[in-house]
Amino acid sequence: MRPCYLTLLGAASVAALDNGVGKLPILGYNTWNVFQCDYNETVLLAQAQAMVDNGLLQAGYDWFMLDDCYSLKDRSDQGSIVADPKKFPSGMKSFTQKLKSLGFRAGIYSDSGYKTCGGFPGSYGHEAQDLETWSDWGFSYLKYDNCYIPFDRVTQENVYGRYQRMTRAIEAHSTSTQSPPIQLALCEWGWQQPWIWGGRLGQSWRVGGDIRPWWSALASIINSASFIASYTNFYARNDFDMLEVGNTGTGTPPGNLTFDEAKTHFTAWALLKSPLFLGTDITKATPDTISILANDDILKINQDPNVGEAIAPFRWGENPDWTFDPSSPASYWTGNSSYGVVFMVINTLDIPQQMSFNLTESWAIQAGRVYSVYDMWSHTQNGTALRSIQVTIPPHGVSALLLNDAGPEPCGTTPYCAGWWQCAYANGTYYSN
């Protein structure tokens, strides 16, 4: 194991804690997108109970993330963060114990600056003290934001250094208490390419601003993912922000993702191995919403215990390969898994279209073999594929397929090579289709 939150730039090598903390993406609930600051203990426990009642806890969403606005605006005389007694009248320890009695682990939020983005106390200069408080309250996961940062002449360090302060505090706390380290998720927004360095400090890193519940926002995030998917692995992964499945949203354009757009949203986030935090009101969840979020065929790829890499594009589709286009991201994706070769195909158009690909466009496919085809949305075996697959996909919809070797191609299959332009006879002359 290599727990990335213990790898310190410019520091002596740190012995790894071989306990699996942070190996796989987090699944859970986050309070921000639904409530922002307008919540209390009763409201949040109702969300947790709804997750239990709808089978989402059983599906693996076992973290409950308390985002911004949980504290008073001022620290105590001793410098400690103080939980808002109006929001948590029974105390923060009681709140996390109630979550744990339902089966959840508890996560909390702070900031690398003077204040959080909502204007509450940040942790700059209080890293060790705040860790003691959160640990005492019963939290073991930290989302760490990037607002209200001190002047450069104060910090004399860049964003990496400010996050490293918390990493070192986590290491010291874990060592002194002989307990597993609090997991650290960097909410840096992507402006300093955290996919390059984030794995040295935390178990995930945000790659953009806050998500919005409409297609153009999802397409833009998937476009960004098209270029950085390969940075994900065990203990370190891109975080594409919360799941908006089932959220009606506000603002312009309006929310209300279509069912097919919601499926694409969930599929892309899960297969790209992003943390999966629900950002919707689960007390109002419809059967359609639950059917998407609890898709165990998709979730098992996200939670694959043997393959940490995300899927990645093998062809763009509407644009030439490697085109940066927020409205039309890569359409054809593939990757390996413990359960077979994964393919994701996204229709970025506003109309249905038939989409096809050659199997050997995927690096994970063996040439000259036939493959069984399993549809991870219909949950059906759909025969075998020889050389290519064609699927019809609704507007902004997705196809998610799992392929497994079903034996050699039939004798006499032509052309002799699926990628015929690369093949040659034994005498050294190229084969021509």
Side-chain angles (χ1 to χ4, degrees):
M1 169 186 173
R2 51 178 184 85
C4 301
Y5 36 72
L6 296 185
T7 304
L8 306 178
L9 185 65
S13 177
V14 179
L17 298 176
D18 190 9
N19 54 23
V21 174
K23 177 180 179 179
L24 298 176
I26 295 289
L27 277 66
Y29 185 85
N30 185 288
T31 62
W32 181 254
N33 283 23
V34 178
F35 302 109
Q36 272 123 64
C37 295
D38 187 18
Y39 62 77
N40 57 41
E41 176 180 337
T42 301
V43 168
L44 300 186
L45 290 174
Q47 293 294 320
Q49 185 63 56
M51 290 180 68
V52 174
D53 296 342
N54 284 290
L56 294 175
L57 174 66
Q58 185 177 6
Y61 296 90
D62 62 350
W63 284 88
F64 196 97
M65 173 70 205
L66 180 60
D67 213 290
D68 207 349
C69 314
Y70 57 84
S71 72
L72 297 179
K73 288 291 183 78
D74 296 313
R75 292 177 175 270
S76 71
D77 292 342
Q78 292 74 39
S80 298
I81 291 177
V82 180
D84 188 333
K86 292 183 179 179
K87 292 181 177 179
F88 300 95
S90 60
M92 199 63 88
K93 277 188 181 181
S94 174
F95 174 64
T96 60
Q97 288 169 359
K98 290 171 184 175
L99 287 175
K100 291 173 184 177
S101 70
L102 290 172
F104 293 96
R105 295 177 282 182
I108 202 162
Y109 166 95
S110 191
D111 194 280
S112 62
Y114 292 129
K115 295 183 179 182
T116 68
C117 297
F120 295 82
S123 291
Y124 183 78
H126 293 269
E127 290 87 358
Q129 185 177 25
D130 290 350
L131 278 170
E132 291 288 344
T133 298
W134 298 324
S135 179
D136 181 59
W137 284 349
F139 293 97
S140 52
Y141 174 93
L142 173 62
K143 174 184 173 181
Y144 208 44
D145 220 330
N146 192 38
C147 289
Y148 293 99
I149 60 175
F151 296 153
D152 291 349
R153 63 176 174 79
V154 174
T155 66
Q156 298 184 36
E157 55 193 0
N158 207 337
V159 62
Y160 183 96
R162 290 192 300 276
Y163 279 113
Q164 189 181 50
R165 292 170 64 98
M166 181 56 77
T167 299
R168 287 175 167 158
I170 290 173
E171 175 204 351
H173 181 268
S174 177
T175 300
S176 65
T177 61
Q178 291 297 295
S179 61
I182 289 176
Q183 295 191 59
L184 179 63
L186 313 179
C187 190
E188 191 270 345
W189 321 325
W191 69 280
Q192 260 204 355
Q193 299 179 298
W195 45 89
I196 294 175
W197 52 265
R200 301 177 182 180
L201 303 180
Q203 61 95 29
S204 65
W205 50 85
R206 278 277 295 280
V207 300
D210 289 354
I211 196 170
R212 295 293 183 266
W214 44 77
W215 173 253
S216 61
L218 303 184
S220 179
I221 294 171
I222 296 171
N223 174 66
S224 296
S226 302
F227 298 88
I228 59 175
S230 60
Y231 287 95
T232 283
N233 212 317
F234 290 136
Y235 302 104
R237 57 198 59 86
N238 293 303
D239 177 357
F240 302 111
D241 205 10
M242 284 164 261
L243 290 170
E244 291 285 350
V245 176
N247 200 344
T248 56
T250 58
T252 304
N256 288 325
L257 295 174
T258 69
F259 182 65
D260 290 309
E261 289 170 345
K263 286 171 60 178
T264 302
H265 177 21
F266 175 76
T267 302
W269 267 235
L271 300 187
L272 282 159
K273 304 294 181 80
S274 175
L276 300 179
F277 276 113
L278 311 184
T280 60
D281 187 346
I282 304 302
T283 65
K284 299 177 181 177
T286 67
D288 278 349
T289 295
I290 301 304
S291 73
I292 293 173
L293 297 175
N295 184 327
D296 57 352
D297 282 326
I298 302 289
L299 288 174
K300 75 179 183 182
I301 305 299
N302 181 267
Q303 297 291 298
D304 192 326
N306 303 307
V307 179
E309 300 91 344
I311 61 171
F314 62 86
R315 178 154 46 93
W316 256 240
E318 296 304 315
N319 287 315
D321 290 352
W322 303 106
T323 298
F324 188 92
D325 183 351
S327 65
S328 187
S331 291
Y332 297 90
W333 303 66
T334 191
N336 204 4
S337 79
S338 296
Y339 315 100
V341 179
V342 178
F343 285 90
M344 178 178 75
V345 184
I346 299 173
N347 178 10
T348 63
L349 301 183
D350 298 333
I351 58 174
Q353 65 168 326
Q354 287 189 333
M355 306 178 71
S356 62
F357 57 89
N358 187 310
L359 299 190
T360 57
E361 290 184 83
S362 169
W363 64 269
I365 287 288
Q366 292 180 267
R369 310 290 293 182
V370 175
Y371 278 79
S372 65
V373 181
Y374 180 77
D375 188 312
M376 289 189 280
W377 277 109
S378 67
H379 311 291
T380 57
Q381 293 286 351
N382 292 356
T384 57
L386 173 62
R387 295 285 178 91
S388 65
I389 289 178
Q390 180 171 285
V391 288
T392 301
I393 304 179
H396 303 164
V398 70
S399 176
L401 305 174
L402 198 58
L403 272 63
N404 277 283
D405 192 321
E409 288 184 347
C411 292
T413 299
T414 57
Y416 297 130
C417 294
W420 57 267
W421 56 91
Q422 295 178 323
C423 291
Y425 294 98
N427 64 9
T429 59
Y430 275 110
Y431 168 73
S432 179
N433 185 18

